[in-house]
Amino acid sequence: MTAGNSLADNLARIRKSRDMSQQALAEAASVGVDTVARIEQGTRTSSRPATLRKLAAALGVSMGTLLGHMPGERNADLDIGPLRHAIILAADIPGLTDFAESDETVSLAELGHAAHRAWRAYVGGRHVELLQALPVLLVDGRRLVRESDGATKARAFRLLSTTYRLGAGTAGRMGFDDLAWSSAERALDAARCADTPELDTAISLRYLAWTLLRQGRLAEAERVAVTAAERIQPAMLDRDPARSGVFGNLLFNAATAALGAGSPNRAEDLLAEAQAAAVRAKTDTASEAAIFGPRVAASQQVERAARAGDPEEALRLASTVPEATSEVPAFWEAGHRIYLAAASAELRRDRQALAYLSEARDLAADWVKHQPLGTSVMRRLVERAPRRLGTRFARLARDFGVVPA
């Protein structure tokens, strides 16, 4: 959050603008009046997402408004400090464990619902919401692991691993690759104690491979991804979508590493193996475990060609990408459009490139703001524009960070 837009200040300001007392807000949101008071006084720095959603709904504002999210806010403006502390320090720490709520315990079901909502925020690119939710989720998850036993403990470890993976992905998106690595390592440790250790270990290794890619450690990234894929590879008649998806996503990471290391043929072979698994899976699926299926795998071939410097092949392959058999997350579709824009711009088909960038922005406006490739393509189009191209062009330049918002 940006300075001057703290949760404490925002809650008090919005409540007063609604002419509500703390007692009235507490009753409308079904929370304790002491919870409202602690948040406004700033005596507790963390509050559970469920509480914040109730308060936002009672005030008639979005979570982003309550948390102080400013339009056009980019990664550099966001405070990652609480997430860093929650990831690095394995024990409960002052400032993160002192909740505004009186009741500091959560059930396994509550933790599961909160983890799923965090994943939805992750795929939606809602970083402000994630940075508020993840530190609390990590503390709650560790506490539940410590206080439970048996099957409940194993399921709690699974949810804790999920949350650490989301922490890794969020930190990586924001450019904190060392923090992403630390969170992915902790996800792997928790996965080994989960009720589905084989699957969760493979998912965690996918995040580790992705972090190695971001660090430029290409040979290690490919080795980790391929080894993990071999261990999780589904049998010929296995139709488990989670297993197939994790297998395919690991091969995507391995192919990206191979291509970056100058081995395009190996990258193509790896993607062909992933595509075969996608064909057997038949249906596109999206979950925290993996985003995978025929459309997703085919779009990876487009990305491979674009990354390899063959824009004509990328656009040709795009014409063969099947329609989604079920919902594919908007950010994934937006990423596909950005690669098509890059290929079009390379061929100087600028009008087509602008159309793809516009589609990407419309699909996932918050997510595209943090995509360097989209910014690079838009900057190229701005630099070679012969004249003013109207408000639509100017708005895209702002949305992709080429000019200040």
Side-chain angles (χ1 to χ4, degrees), residues 206-227:
R206 173 166 62 84
Y207 278 81
L208 278 171
W210 177 73
T211 304
L212 289 168
L213 275 172
R214 294 186 55 86
Q215 294 175 342
R217 298 160 65 181
L218 301 179
E220 293 170 275
E222 182 181 349
R223 187 162 59 249
V224 168
V226 169
T227 301

mmCIF file of all heavy atoms in Angstrom, residues 206-227:
data_model
loop_
_atom_site.group_PDB
_atom_site.id
_atom_site.type_symbol
_atom_site.label_atom_id
_atom_site.label_comp_id
_atom_site.label_asym_id
_atom_site.label_seq_id
_atom_site.Cartn_x
_atom_site.Cartn_y
_atom_site.Cartn_z
ATOM 1 N N ARG A 206 7.560 -27.251 -9.147
ATOM 2 C CA ARG A 206 7.273 -26.397 -10.308
ATOM 3 C C ARG A 206 7.551 -24.939 -9.973
ATOM 4 O O ARG A 206 8.120 -24.203 -10.783
ATOM 5 C CB ARG A 206 5.811 -26.588 -10.735
ATOM 6 C CG ARG A 206 5.367 -25.633 -11.824
ATOM 7 C CD ARG A 206 4.051 -26.064 -12.445
ATOM 8 N NE ARG A 206 2.947 -26.100 -11.514
ATOM 9 C CZ ARG A 206 2.206 -25.032 -11.186
ATOM 10 N NH1 ARG A 206 2.495 -23.850 -11.681
ATOM 11 N NH2 ARG A 206 1.185 -25.167 -10.362
ATOM 12 N N TYR A 207 7.154 -24.511 -8.777
ATOM 13 C CA TYR A 207 7.438 -23.130 -8.380
ATOM 14 C C TYR A 207 8.939 -22.905 -8.217
ATOM 15 O O TYR A 207 9.455 -21.838 -8.552
ATOM 16 C CB TYR A 207 6.693 -22.791 -7.094
ATOM 17 C CG TYR A 207 5.253 -22.407 -7.306
ATOM 18 C CD1 TYR A 207 4.272 -23.388 -7.472
ATOM 19 C CD2 TYR A 207 4.863 -21.079 -7.364
ATOM 20 C CE1 TYR A 207 2.938 -23.046 -7.679
ATOM 21 C CE2 TYR A 207 3.536 -20.726 -7.566
ATOM 22 C CZ TYR A 207 2.582 -21.713 -7.732
ATOM 23 O OH TYR A 207 1.266 -21.377 -7.952
ATOM 24 N N LEU A 208 9.639 -23.908 -7.701
ATOM 25 C CA LEU A 208 11.097 -23.784 -7.584
ATOM 26 C C LEU A 208 11.737 -23.671 -8.961
ATOM 27 O O LEU A 208 12.645 -22.849 -9.175
ATOM 28 C CB LEU A 208 11.669 -24.985 -6.833
ATOM 29 C CG LEU A 208 11.598 -24.936 -5.303
ATOM 30 C CD1 LEU A 208 11.987 -26.284 -4.720
ATOM 31 C CD2 LEU A 208 12.523 -23.851 -4.756
ATOM 32 N N ALA A 209 11.285 -24.479 -9.915
ATOM 33 C CA ALA A 209 11.837 -24.409 -11.270
ATOM 34 C C ALA A 209 11.549 -23.042 -11.887
ATOM 35 O O ALA A 209 12.412 -22.459 -12.566
ATOM 36 C CB ALA A 209 11.245 -25.519 -12.135
ATOM 37 N N TRP A 210 10.352 -22.536 -11.661
ATOM 38 C CA TRP A 210 9.988 -21.210 -12.176
ATOM 39 C C TRP A 210 10.893 -20.132 -11.583
ATOM 40 O O TRP A 210 11.344 -19.220 -12.284
ATOM 41 C CB TRP A 210 8.523 -20.935 -11.837
ATOM 42 C CG TRP A 210 8.021 -19.584 -12.238
ATOM 43 C CD1 TRP A 210 7.732 -19.134 -13.494
ATOM 44 C CD2 TRP A 210 7.718 -18.495 -11.346
ATOM 45 N NE1 TRP A 210 7.266 -17.842 -13.441
ATOM 46 C CE2 TRP A 210 7.248 -17.424 -12.143
ATOM 47 C CE3 TRP A 210 7.789 -18.327 -9.965
ATOM 48 C CZ2 TRP A 210 6.856 -16.201 -11.593
ATOM 49 C CZ3 TRP A 210 7.398 -17.113 -9.420
ATOM 50 C CH2 TRP A 210 6.944 -16.069 -10.228
ATOM 51 N N THR A 211 11.192 -20.244 -10.290
ATOM 52 C CA THR A 211 12.075 -19.275 -9.645
ATOM 53 C C THR A 211 13.485 -19.376 -10.216
ATOM 54 O O THR A 211 14.151 -18.349 -10.448
ATOM 55 C CB THR A 211 12.101 -19.513 -8.122
ATOM 56 O OG1 THR A 211 10.762 -19.454 -7.621
ATOM 57 C CG2 THR A 211 12.941 -18.463 -7.424
ATOM 58 N N LEU A 212 13.963 -20.586 -10.469
ATOM 59 C CA LEU A 212 15.275 -20.748 -11.100
ATOM 60 C C LEU A 212 15.297 -20.112 -12.484
ATOM 61 O O LEU A 212 16.300 -19.495 -12.883
ATOM 62 C CB LEU A 212 15.625 -22.237 -11.192
ATOM 63 C CG LEU A 212 15.966 -22.939 -9.876
ATOM 64 C CD1 LEU A 212 16.000 -24.449 -10.075
ATOM 65 C CD2 LEU A 212 17.304 -22.442 -9.338
ATOM 66 N N LEU A 213 14.210 -20.239 -13.219
ATOM 67 C CA LEU A 213 14.114 -19.576 -14.522
ATOM 68 C C LEU A 213 14.268 -18.070 -14.370
ATOM 69 O O LEU A 213 15.013 -17.435 -15.136
ATOM 70 C CB LEU A 213 12.758 -19.882 -15.163
ATOM 71 C CG LEU A 213 12.600 -21.167 -15.956
ATOM 72 C CD1 LEU A 213 11.141 -21.373 -16.322
ATOM 73 C CD2 LEU A 213 13.459 -21.110 -17.219
ATOM 74 N N ARG A 214 13.589 -17.504 -13.419
ATOM 75 C CA ARG A 214 13.648 -16.059 -13.206
ATOM 76 C C ARG A 214 15.047 -15.617 -12.810
ATOM 77 O O ARG A 214 15.458 -14.492 -13.114
ATOM 78 C CB ARG A 214 12.643 -15.637 -12.133
ATOM 79 C CG ARG A 214 11.178 -15.834 -12.542
ATOM 80 C CD ARG A 214 10.256 -15.250 -11.491
ATOM 81 N NE ARG A 214 10.568 -13.851 -11.248
ATOM 82 C CZ ARG A 214 10.077 -12.850 -11.969
ATOM 83 N NH1 ARG A 214 9.258 -13.094 -12.970
ATOM 84 N NH2 ARG A 214 10.389 -11.596 -11.677
ATOM 85 N N GLN A 215 15.784 -16.500 -12.129
ATOM 86 C CA GLN A 215 17.147 -16.175 -11.719
ATOM 87 C C GLN A 215 18.169 -16.434 -12.818
ATOM 88 O O GLN A 215 19.360 -16.177 -12.624
ATOM 89 C CB GLN A 215 17.511 -16.993 -10.469
ATOM 90 C CG GLN A 215 16.690 -16.622 -9.238
ATOM 91 C CD GLN A 215 16.984 -17.519 -8.047
ATOM 92 O OE1 GLN A 215 17.524 -18.608 -8.184
ATOM 93 N NE2 GLN A 215 16.622 -17.053 -6.862
ATOM 94 N N GLY A 216 17.729 -16.942 -13.962
ATOM 95 C CA GLY A 216 18.640 -17.221 -15.062
ATOM 96 C C GLY A 216 19.424 -18.507 -14.905
ATOM 97 O O GLY A 216 20.364 -18.749 -15.669
ATOM 98 N N ARG A 217 19.025 -19.342 -13.972
ATOM 99 C CA ARG A 217 19.720 -20.622 -13.746
ATOM 100 C C ARG A 217 19.028 -21.698 -14.586
ATOM 101 O O ARG A 217 18.321 -22.560 -14.101
ATOM 102 C CB ARG A 217 19.696 -20.935 -12.252
ATOM 103 C CG ARG A 217 20.438 -19.881 -11.425
ATOM 104 C CD ARG A 217 20.037 -19.869 -9.970
ATOM 105 N NE ARG A 217 20.385 -21.079 -9.251
ATOM 106 C CZ ARG A 217 20.099 -21.289 -7.968
ATOM 107 N NH1 ARG A 217 19.453 -20.347 -7.279
ATOM 108 N NH2 ARG A 217 20.446 -22.415 -7.384
ATOM 109 N N LEU A 218 19.265 -21.614 -15.893
ATOM 110 C CA LEU A 218 18.466 -22.363 -16.857
ATOM 111 C C LEU A 218 18.704 -23.867 -16.787
ATOM 112 O O LEU A 218 17.753 -24.656 -16.843
ATOM 113 C CB LEU A 218 18.739 -21.837 -18.267
ATOM 114 C CG LEU A 218 18.436 -20.345 -18.473
ATOM 115 C CD1 LEU A 218 18.774 -19.925 -19.900
ATOM 116 C CD2 LEU A 218 16.977 -20.035 -18.159
ATOM 117 N N ALA A 219 19.957 -24.274 -16.689
ATOM 118 C CA ALA A 219 20.246 -25.705 -16.649
ATOM 119 C C ALA A 219 19.627 -26.342 -15.405
ATOM 120 O O ALA A 219 19.047 -27.441 -15.476
ATOM 121 C CB ALA A 219 21.750 -25.946 -16.682
ATOM 122 N N GLU A 220 19.722 -25.651 -14.272
ATOM 123 C CA GLU A 220 19.140 -26.173 -13.035
ATOM 124 C C GLU A 220 17.614 -26.206 -13.127
ATOM 125 O O GLU A 220 16.978 -27.164 -12.669
ATOM 126 C CB GLU A 220 19.572 -25.315 -11.852
ATOM 127 C CG GLU A 220 21.053 -25.394 -11.543
ATOM 128 C CD GLU A 220 21.462 -24.338 -10.535
ATOM 129 O OE1 GLU A 220 21.739 -23.197 -10.941
ATOM 130 O OE2 GLU A 220 21.479 -24.665 -9.342
ATOM 131 N N ALA A 221 17.035 -25.162 -13.727
ATOM 132 C CA ALA A 221 15.577 -25.111 -13.861
ATOM 133 C C ALA A 221 15.079 -26.288 -14.695
ATOM 134 O O ALA A 221 14.098 -26.954 -14.326
ATOM 135 C CB ALA A 221 15.156 -23.793 -14.511
ATOM 136 N N GLU A 222 15.751 -26.560 -15.811
ATOM 137 C CA GLU A 222 15.323 -27.671 -16.659
ATOM 138 C C GLU A 222 15.490 -29.004 -15.927
ATOM 139 O O GLU A 222 14.611 -29.868 -15.988
ATOM 140 C CB GLU A 222 16.114 -27.689 -17.965
ATOM 141 C CG GLU A 222 15.658 -28.804 -18.899
ATOM 142 C CD GLU A 222 16.438 -28.858 -20.200
ATOM 143 O OE1 GLU A 222 17.201 -27.914 -20.495
ATOM 144 O OE2 GLU A 222 16.305 -29.862 -20.924
ATOM 145 N N ARG A 223 16.595 -29.159 -15.219
ATOM 146 C CA ARG A 223 16.850 -30.427 -14.530
ATOM 147 C C ARG A 223 15.807 -30.682 -13.441
ATOM 148 O O ARG A 223 15.271 -31.794 -13.322
ATOM 149 C CB ARG A 223 18.263 -30.407 -13.937
ATOM 150 C CG ARG A 223 18.701 -31.744 -13.347
ATOM 151 C CD ARG A 223 20.207 -31.792 -13.176
ATOM 152 N NE ARG A 223 20.725 -30.738 -12.312
ATOM 153 C CZ ARG A 223 21.476 -29.719 -12.751
ATOM 154 N NH1 ARG A 223 21.778 -29.624 -14.036
ATOM 155 N NH2 ARG A 223 21.915 -28.814 -11.907
ATOM 156 N N VAL A 224 15.502 -29.653 -12.657
ATOM 157 C CA VAL A 224 14.495 -29.802 -11.598
ATOM 158 C C VAL A 224 13.132 -30.129 -12.209
ATOM 159 O O VAL A 224 12.423 -31.036 -11.751
ATOM 160 C CB VAL A 224 14.414 -28.515 -10.753
ATOM 161 C CG1 VAL A 224 13.174 -28.540 -9.848
ATOM 162 C CG2 VAL A 224 15.670 -28.347 -9.907
ATOM 163 N N ALA A 225 12.752 -29.395 -13.256
ATOM 164 C CA ALA A 225 11.434 -29.588 -13.856
ATOM 165 C C ALA A 225 11.298 -30.967 -14.496
ATOM 166 O O ALA A 225 10.284 -31.644 -14.324
ATOM 167 C CB ALA A 225 11.167 -28.489 -14.879
ATOM 168 N N VAL A 226 12.299 -31.394 -15.230
ATOM 169 C CA VAL A 226 12.228 -32.691 -15.909
ATOM 170 C C VAL A 226 12.211 -33.833 -14.893
ATOM 171 O O VAL A 226 11.428 -34.789 -15.018
ATOM 172 C CB VAL A 226 13.399 -32.853 -16.895
ATOM 173 C CG1 VAL A 226 13.496 -34.291 -17.399
ATOM 174 C CG2 VAL A 226 13.225 -31.908 -18.072
ATOM 175 N N THR A 227 13.059 -33.740 -13.873
ATOM 176 C CA THR A 227 13.098 -34.790 -12.851
ATOM 177 C C THR A 227 11.756 -34.902 -12.136
ATOM 178 O O THR A 227 11.233 -36.009 -11.926
ATOM 179 C CB THR A 227 14.213 -34.511 -11.833
ATOM 180 O OG1 THR A 227 15.478 -34.442 -12.513
ATOM 181 C CG2 THR A 227 14.279 -35.609 -10.788
#
